[in-house]
Amino acid sequence: EGVGCVVFDEFHERHLDGDLALALARRVQLEAREDLRIVVLSATIDPGPVAAFLGDAAVLESEGRLFPVETLHQPARGREPLEEQVVRAVEDVVGRLASGSEDVGDMGRDSLVFLPGVGEIRRCAEALAGTAARHGLELQQLYGDLDAKQQDAVLAERPAGAPRRIVLATNLAESSVTLHGIGAVIDSGLMRQPRLDAGVGIDRLELVRIPMESVRQRAGRAGRTGPGLNLRLWSPLEERGAREGIEPEVARVDLSGAWLSLLDFGEPDPAAFAWFERPPEATAELASELLAALGAVDGEPGAWRL
């Protein structure tokens, strides 16, 4: 009541909560609130399947302005540690941004380095200390568990005369926030994502290669205010073998929490719920078995209640 529209932003990230909320909103729209409007926003997703799920919804396209971004590749040298590879990349990028040549003259002054986790961020920060001191650079870190004041300091607009900076970030900086003054993106091509370990029945974080959809999203951070650079820490050959789209969480994580949410909503058979994309049958069965084993539900499968 009192809500006329629900907006799902950055839907291409395909978090479980986003998929669940979209399907619940669609159920409400079909059964109780025909007047409810649902808007799904994304810079990269194929709109066709989402539009079909929403009853042949209208598709609106907005051509955002993005400056040209030059793509470079710097694969690892043998078994070179990631932090050493990042130091080489920073030295290269800092030189380009400071060269003053015509092709980089309008670029932002700062560099954004995408890393898979806090451990890699801290190791790279330690390895870059000498480079930062030599070039007069400020090193900053950005990740989800960072103190709110520290996050605000990284996200704030830079004052005139502030030193150039290197921001070491997780994929939090891929689409969720805006960083000002970025002229170059250095991409490790890695991230950590949760995946259900069927042997123990819980999610664990695994290190994976990001899909090309995310590569392009990250690269765009360098072209927001002027021409930019995107230095990728892998070879063009590796890139040709990369997968294209993001694997949705509903296909790879523990569903027991979502099952409880659906039961609380009044859905007696979560396995039959009308998802945007249905979860794998094996994963759905594991969630049902876990809730039954924990005594979290009463009744028989297909007619459960909390």
Side-chain angles (χ1 to χ4, degrees), residues 221-256:
R221 291 283 159 178
R224 292 291 182 87
T225 58
L229 289 171
N230 176 213
L231 184 54
R232 301 173 180 178
L233 303 187
W234 61 89
S235 70
L237 180 62
E238 290 176 287
E239 188 164 299
R240 286 196 288 272
R243 73 180 190 276
E244 181 58 36
I246 294 174
E247 183 184 14
E249 283 191 348
V250 71
R252 55 179 167 81
V253 302
D254 170 40
L255 299 174
S256 57

Side-chain angles (χ1 to χ4, degrees), residues 64-267:
R65 185 184 183 190
L66 189 66
F67 291 90
V69 176
E70 180 185 2
T71 299
L72 306 170
H73 292 85
Q74 180 198 281
R77 295 171 175 172
R79 296 185 177 181
E80 182 181 31
L82 178 59
E83 54 268 29
E84 293 181 13
Q85 196 180 2
V86 168
V87 170
R88 280 202 296 124
V90 167
E91 291 279 5
D92 183 11
V93 164
V94 166
R96 291 173 183 269
L97 295 182
S99 67
S101 60
E102 292 184 4
D103 59 333
V104 298
D106 294 328
M107 288 185 180
R109 303 170 69 248
D110 302 334
S111 300
L112 172 62
V113 184
F114 280 103
L115 296 164
V118 177
E120 289 83 3
I121 285 176
R122 290 174 177 164
R123 287 194 294 273
C124 285
E126 183 177 349
L128 283 166
T131 298
R134 187 164 56 255
H135 293 284
L137 303 172
E138 181 180 346
L139 282 176
Q140 294 183 332
Q141 302 180 18
L142 182 63
Y143 50 88
D145 291 335
L146 192 66
D147 177 82
K149 289 185 178 180
Q150 293 176 287
Q151 287 194 27
D152 290 343
V154 178
L155 300 176
E157 289 202 44
R158 305 284 283 171
R164 290 179 297 161
R165 62 175 176 164
I166 306 293
V167 181
L168 306 174
T170 62
N171 58 1
L172 171 69
E174 184 175 316
S175 58
S176 302
V177 298
T178 296
L179 288 165
H180 301 277
I182 299 299
V185 167
I186 298 170
D187 192 352
S188 69
L190 301 169
M191 68 176 178
R192 281 192 173 83
Q193 67 178 19
R195 183 174 296 276
L196 176 64
D197 185 335
V200 294
I202 59 174
D203 292 337
R204 58 178 175 81
L205 287 175
E206 63 176 13
L207 186 67
V208 299
R209 286 278 180 187
I210 63 173
M212 289 306 300
E213 183 176 303
S214 294
V215 171
R216 290 189 288 270
Q217 183 87 354
R218 291 179 175 188
R221 291 283 159 178
R224 292 291 182 87
T225 58
L229 289 171
N230 176 213
L231 184 54
R232 301 173 180 178
L233 303 187
W234 61 89
S235 70
L237 180 62
E238 290 176 287
E239 188 164 299
R240 286 196 288 272
R243 73 180 190 276
E244 181 58 36
I246 294 174
E247 183 184 14
E249 283 191 348
V250 71
R252 55 179 167 81
V253 302
D254 170 40
L255 299 174
S256 57
W259 256 223
L260 285 173
S261 295
L262 287 170
L263 290 166
D264 186 49
F265 183 75
E267 172 61 61

Side-chain angles (χ1 to χ4, degrees), residues 1-7 25-39 54:
E1 187 175 344
V3 175
C5 181
V6 182
V7 180
R26 178 60 174 157
R27 170 72 70 84
V28 169
Q29 185 185 55
L30 288 171
E31 297 184 355
R33 286 286 308 278
E34 291 183 5
D35 63 311
L36 182 67
R37 292 173 180 259
I38 299 174
V39 179
L54 295 176

Side-chain angles (χ1 to χ4, degrees), residues 256-302:
S256 57
W259 256 223
L260 285 173
S261 295
L262 287 170
L263 290 166
D264 186 49
F265 183 75
E267 172 61 61
D269 186 5
F273 181 64
W275 292 87
F276 167 55
E277 286 187 27
R278 294 186 63 80
E281 186 175 335
T283 310
E285 289 179 358
L286 280 174
S288 299
E289 290 171 2
L290 176 60
L291 294 181
L294 292 173
V297 293
D298 293 322
E300 297 297 323

